Amino acid sequence: MTQKKLKELLASMTVEEKAAQLTQVNGVSIKKDTQAELTGVDPRFAITLDEISRVGSVLNFASAEEAKEIQNRYLERSEKKIPLVMMMDVIHGYRTIFPIPLAMGATFDPALTEECAKMSAVEARCGGVQATFAPMVDLARDQRWGRVMETSGEDPYLNGEMGKAYIRGFHAGGLACCVKHFAAYGAAEAGRDYNTTDMSAHSLAQYYLYAYGECLKENPELVMSSFNALNGKPVNANKGLLIDLLRNEWKFNGVVISDYDAVWEMIAHGYTENEKECARIAINNEIDMEMVSTTYINYLPELLEEGAITEKKVDKMVGRVLALKNKLGLFENPYYGMDVENAEKVFLSAEYRNLARIAAEKSFILLKNEKEVLPLKKTEKIACVGPFAAERGIIGAWACNGRKEDAVSVLQGLENYLGESVPSAKGCGYELLATDESGIKSAVKAAKKAKTVIACIGEYMDDSGEGASRSKLNLPAPQIALLKALKEKGKKVVAVVFGGRAQELDEVEKYSDAILYVWQPGTEGGNAVARTLYGEVNPSGKTTVSFPRTVGQMPLYYNAFRTGRPKPVDDFKNVYYVSSYRDVLNSPLYPFGYGLSYTKFEISNLTISATEMDENGEIEVSVLVKNVGKYDGEEVVQLYLRDHHASMIRTVKELKAYKKIFLKAGEEQRVEFAINEKTLRFYNADFKYVSEKGKFSVMVGNSSENVLEKEFILK
Ligand code: GLC
């Protein structure tokens, strides 16, 4: 539709029709015709099909057919025929499920991430989806938070790079997308979801806002405002964030949608007295679409009447929603993305499964490999035990319309690969509070003839994700008892660990000869694990979250400040009056950027083209990377920077660039980076985003703690 026609349409709309365009309803509740049939739906959200002209968008529906039926029923009733826009959480796949975003971060491969997002989008459009609530780029530094699984980890730069890759992919696949959750939702105190977030304006600007701002460069159609109270106000009441920064400074003119019921939750926060106040505040902060709560349709006309909001503001907001629908071509084709005919042909196609397997293979992290237990030889006798041996619930939280029945378990993957059955036993459950160890004996018996035992352990997919915070990060006792029992029988133990977050692995480390961290690997997980264990693939994933020795270290992240009493990393018993604990080493068990390979890479010969530069200068940085092992493989060469002193304290190091390179056994390659003044910028004491003269260190290596270092001066 032309801009002129859009303006005419807007001018013709009643106030009620405008309020409808600013409201999104949960598809669950509008499958019923009358209120009486809406059992089990919170009356606050209840909008039946009869009343569907009171909304402008729907989230959550089972299929393209259902989306089409809702659109049809809506258009029959809508006088102005303004189509609904259909949205869902396509986070890491629609029906073919790819590894969780935390795992995709571990690939350090934006191009691969983009490809997976593109395929997810094509599948989603066969499911009736026109816009997805992704990418999520909240910075998370506390592994107790369940939604770490949706992030790319603890580094703002990597989060930004991965978020942009997801957007490019969703767009290439034809989906509108939504950067979330604006803002700083991941800083939930104590890692407890929906909890208070409170931080300095500098930390907010320097670390927590970075990735959202970066993502806007890829023109997402929506931004989602978050649940949390930030610095004493619910985000939906935060004009500084929503208007001054997002609209005026960052010039975002897309649709801001609230999180689920978050407009109403300002009452729960104790910030507003009633729904009318919620509507007034949210509208004045230009939350263009209210998700699920109904304060706009109930109070916008009255607020307009009273002059508490202006027609100009409402028209600007409605104009953005109409522009989104127009960009998707919905006025010409309301059934865009409801590709019923192709659905069954596209879902879970061989091509999609193949990419999902490759993505999983690239996301695995080899944390330990004592005496090259891995890769396995086909000749050696193995067994596959543990709660995740035959488990297909390995597709992660936020798996949209993915089904665990479609997934390949590790046991299936091994049997597919070997073409023969593999002895297996569960040994114990995966429940977080499990205590039953009665199955361990039979698991050890099942492994009797095996020289090497693959122990599939970890955290179940429902124990991470929204609302799934944990106060502990260790694996449940029965799982450790299983490892111990196998070790006591003299078995070689290969731990394959599942999880939606970094967990405490010190006991796993003690009883395992090798550890492969596989996150929640998605539909093709089992095939990817088998091919990796047998060396068809050489693991190349790197940690993007710091793995703690104990949950007591939380929040734990590599890019921290030095403090006035810098922490020792290799001792805790004989050090006093420094930033340290009396009972555990300060360092993580596995640091950010860490991951082994079946081969060995040597990084040497760090050179910098100059030891000083001015604001127009550039310094070339290069290292020599050599594959000195027996296998071809990939290495992630990481470049970190440290600003030694500035008008605000600076972190010990920050990731500024990385390159993932492939080297055949014996091959070597010089890897080059360039640093200029822009690379050194930060929010200084005057809140200016600038660089400041002085001494810097450039560090290059294959983990945040294994780097070569050189100093230079910014003049
Ligand atoms: C949820 C989540 C958000 C999601 C939305 C719609 O509560 O916080 O990430 O996009 O509701 O499902």
Side-chain angles (χ1 to χ4, degrees):
M1 187 186 273
T2 62
Q3 294 310 314
K4 185 169 170 297
K5 281 247 176 288
L6 277 175
K7 277 199 173 55
E8 287 162 6
L9 172 60
L10 182 56
S12 74
M13 290 166 72
T14 65
V15 175
E16 285 70 23
E17 286 167 338
K18 290 178 183 176
Q21 290 305 310
L22 305 183
T23 303
Q24 180 176 76
V25 69
N26 191 333
V28 170
S29 73
I30 54 172
K31 286 190 285 193
K32 303 285 184 278
D33 288 321
T34 63
Q35 288 285 349
E37 294 170 272
L38 277 181
T39 50
V41 175
D42 183 326
R44 278 195 304 110
F45 304 156
I47 294 178
T48 65
L49 266 177
D50 284 349
E51 303 160 307
I52 192 167
S53 50
R54 299 185 69 205
V55 303
S57 174
V58 178
L59 86 149
N60 297 340
F61 34 86
S63 64
E65 290 82 354
E66 188 177 294
K68 206 162 195 169
E69 190 224 336
I70 293 170
Q71 187 72 284
N72 272 335
R73 303 283 289 272
Y74 169 85
L75 290 171
E76 280 160 19
R77 290 167 172 75
S78 156
E79 196 222 312
K80 293 280 179 3
K81 308 288 177 220
I82 303 170
L84 294 167
V85 55
M86 313 299 281
M87 303 191 193
M88 254 179 109
D89 294 279
V90 184
I91 310 293
H92 54 104
Y94 175 79
R95 182 71 191 282
T96 305
I97 304 303
F98 295 87
I100 54 174
L102 188 57
M104 291 313 292
T107 68
F108 276 77
D109 189 340
L112 175 63
T113 302
E114 186 174 332
E115 191 54 29
C116 295
K118 180 180 172 189
M119 283 205 181
S120 308
V122 174
E123 260 198 3
R125 284 196 293 115
C126 289
V129 186
Q130 298 164 340
T132 177
F133 299 120
M136 186 269 226
V137 291
D138 302 331
L139 180 65
R141 294 170 157 171
D142 193 321
Q143 303 305 309
R144 293 172 292 182
W145 193 47
R147 301 193 78 166
V148 170
M149 54 74 56
E150 285 177 79
T151 74
S152 300
E154 69 195 35
D155 183 77
Y157 170 72
L158 187 64
N159 277 351
E161 293 305 293
M162 286 299 172
K164 290 187 282 186
Y166 272 111
I167 294 171
R168 290 192 298 269
F170 289 134
H171 282 167
L175 271 196
C177 57
C178 174
V179 174
K180 71 185 186 183
H181 305 80
F182 190 69
Y185 170 46
E189 213 162 82
R192 202 174 70 241
D193 205 358
Y194 315 115
N195 200 9
T196 306
T197 61
D198 209 281
M199 65 186 71
S200 72
H202 262 95
S203 281
L204 179 61
Q206 182 70 31
Y207 306 107
Y208 285 88
L209 290 177
Y210 175 84
Y212 306 118
E214 272 301 290
C215 283
L216 294 193
K217 293 175 182 171
E218 293 291 352
N219 304 312
E221 287 75 14
L222 297 107
V223 166
M224 184 184 292
S225 61
S226 55
F227 288 122
N228 49 303
L230 173 62
N231 296 343
K233 275 189 179 181
V235 161
N236 287 314
N238 191 319
K239 179 181 170 299
L241 273 182
L242 295 166
I243 302 293
D244 303 344
L245 177 64
L246 185 60
R247 300 293 190 188
N248 298 342
E249 191 178 326
W250 285 355
K251 305 266 182 281
F252 178 67
N253 196 30
V255 171
V256 171
I257 185 169
S258 77
D259 204 338
Y260 197 101
D261 200 20
V263 169
W264 180 89
E265 287 180 4
M266 287 193 274
I267 297 173
H269 273 290
Y271 185 74
T272 53
E273 201 179 339
N274 53 47
E275 291 194 16
K276 186 173 170 184
E277 264 302 279
C278 293
R280 183 185 65 76
I281 290 163
I283 290 167
N284 281 323
N285 282 323
E286 296 181 29
I287 308 284
D288 301 312
M289 202 178 269
E290 178 179 18
M291 186 190 290
V292 174
S293 50
T294 51
T295 71
Y296 286 14
I297 49 179
N298 293 336
Y299 295 100
L300 185 147
E302 210 176 308
L303 288 164
L304 210 50
E305 209 42 51
E306 294 164 6
I309 58 176
T310 65
E311 180 147 28
K312 185 165 173 285
K313 171 97 57 180
V314 169
D315 286 355
K316 185 165 43 163
M317 295 165 68
V318 175
R320 291 183 186 123
V321 174
L322 297 181
L324 168 64
K325 296 182 175 184
N326 199 36
K327 181 177 178 188
L328 285 164
L330 301 188
F331 290 103
E332 292 74 29
N333 172 16
Y335 305 107
Y336 172 80
M338 301 178 192
D339 188 349
V340 177
E341 293 64 46
N342 279 327
E344 285 320 313
K345 195 160 72 249
V346 168
F347 291 159
L348 293 164
S349 71
E351 184 197 1
Y352 284 25
R353 278 187 172 271
N354 189 50
L355 182 68
R357 197 205 69 245
I358 292 168
E361 290 163 354
K362 298 244 180 190
S363 71
F364 296 162
I365 303 179
L366 184 62
L367 294 173
K368 180 178 183 182
N369 191 18
E370 209 81 323
K371 301 189 194 71
E372 300 195 326
V373 163
L374 293 178
L376 300 174
K377 293 166 191 56
K378 281 194 172 181
T379 49
E380 62 187 292
K381 277 254 168 276
I382 64 163
C384 178
V385 301
F388 291 92
E391 177 59 50
R392 289 185 291 175
I394 56 173
I395 56 177
W398 289 115
C400 202
N401 278 1
R403 298 172 195 162
K404 64 185 202 179
E405 294 71 32
D406 301 329
V408 177
S409 70
V410 174
L411 180 61
Q412 279 169 313
L414 288 169
E415 293 186 342
N416 292 346
Y417 181 75
L418 296 168
E420 62 188 39
S421 72
V422 171
S424 174
K426 198 173 168 190
C428 63
Y430 52 58
E431 296 72 20
L432 290 180
L433 305 177
T435 53
D436 178 8
E437 302 187 4
S438 59
I440 289 175
K441 238 196 234 46
S442 59
V444 172
K445 197 155 160 285
K448 193 170 166 46
K449 296 198 182 73
K451 171 173 166 268
T452 304
V453 183
I454 296 155
C456 302
I457 55 177
E459 175 186 66
Y460 188 60
M461 63 180 189
D462 293 347
D463 288 321
S464 60
E466 183 173 355
S469 313
R470 289 179 59 184
S471 70
K472 297 184 180 74
L473 294 175
N474 59 300
L475 270 62
Q479 296 189 31
I480 302 302
L482 172 63
L483 294 183
K484 204 166 164 217
L486 293 165
K487 207 70 205 122
E488 278 159 6
K489 290 285 181 200
K491 305 294 180 187
K492 285 228 172 295
V493 176
V494 174
V496 173
V497 188
F498 292 80
R501 53 171 43 97
Q503 299 169 84
E504 278 176 21
L505 298 178
D506 52 337
E507 290 218 287
V508 176
E509 208 278 337
K510 200 166 12 181
Y511 299 115
S512 306
D513 299 283
I515 303 173
L516 189 68
Y517 208 80
V518 298
W519 308 104
Q520 302 292 349
T523 307
E524 280 292 306
N527 286 330
V529 169
R531 284 167 40 86
T532 302
L533 293 178
Y534 280 94
E536 298 295 333
V537 180
N538 185 354
S540 61
K542 298 282 183 182
T543 52
T544 63
V545 284
S546 302
F547 278 66
R549 297 174 188 280
T550 166
V551 67
Q553 291 176 280
M554 287 296 124
L556 178 67
Y557 47 99
Y558 85 93
N559 40 7
F561 297 133
R562 266 182 121 239
T563 78
R565 304 247 172 142
K567 59 185 184 182
V569 285
D570 49 10
D571 184 10
F572 65 93
K573 292 198 178 85
N574 311 303
V575 287
Y576 301 91
Y577 305 113
V578 288
S579 182
S580 177
Y581 298 102
R582 296 298 308 135
D583 50 12
V584 74
L585 279 171
N586 267 320
S587 55
L589 185 62
Y590 304 112
F592 178 91
Y594 171 86
L596 300 176
S597 170
Y598 292 151
T599 192
K600 187 163 171 18
F601 292 99
E602 264 171 17
I603 296 184
S604 63
N605 200 325
L606 170 63
T607 61
I608 56 177
S609 58
T611 53
E612 58 181 45
M613 78 174 174
D614 63 22
E615 71 274 10
N616 305 314
E618 181 171 283
I619 290 181
E620 273 70 49
V621 180
S622 85
V623 285
L624 186 64
V625 185
K626 201 169 163 121
N627 179 343
V628 296
K630 293 182 300 208
Y631 296 92
D632 301 350
E634 292 178 289
E635 180 59 293
V636 181
V637 184
Q638 304 149 45
L639 182 142
Y640 297 88
L641 270 183
R642 180 186 162 204
D643 185 347
H644 283 253
H645 46 81
S647 58
M648 292 297 287
I649 52 173
R650 308 284 292 118
T651 57
V652 293
K653 61 180 66 132
E654 290 177 8
L655 182 72
K656 291 292 181 187
Y658 58 84
K659 284 186 179 169
K660 186 163 192 175
I661 62 167
F662 173 82
L663 288 177
K664 286 184 167 311
E667 261 188 349
E668 66 180 44
Q669 181 185 324
R670 185 154 280 285
V671 178
E672 292 168 350
F673 300 93
I675 300 173
N676 59 36
E677 178 271 330
K678 287 189 182 62
T679 327
L680 314 179
R681 290 182 184 172
F682 69 106
Y683 283 98
N684 72 2
D686 306 326
F687 243 99
K688 298 269 179 297
Y689 198 63
V690 294
S691 57
E692 289 181 356
K693 301 186 182 352
K695 182 163 76 169
F696 291 82
S697 291
V698 57
M699 295 160 266
V700 181
N702 64 358
S703 135
S704 59
E705 290 189 4
N706 179 26
V707 291
L708 301 171
E709 181 168 350
K710 290 256 184 201
E711 290 182 356
F712 66 91
I713 303 285
L714 177 67
K715 285 189 299 187

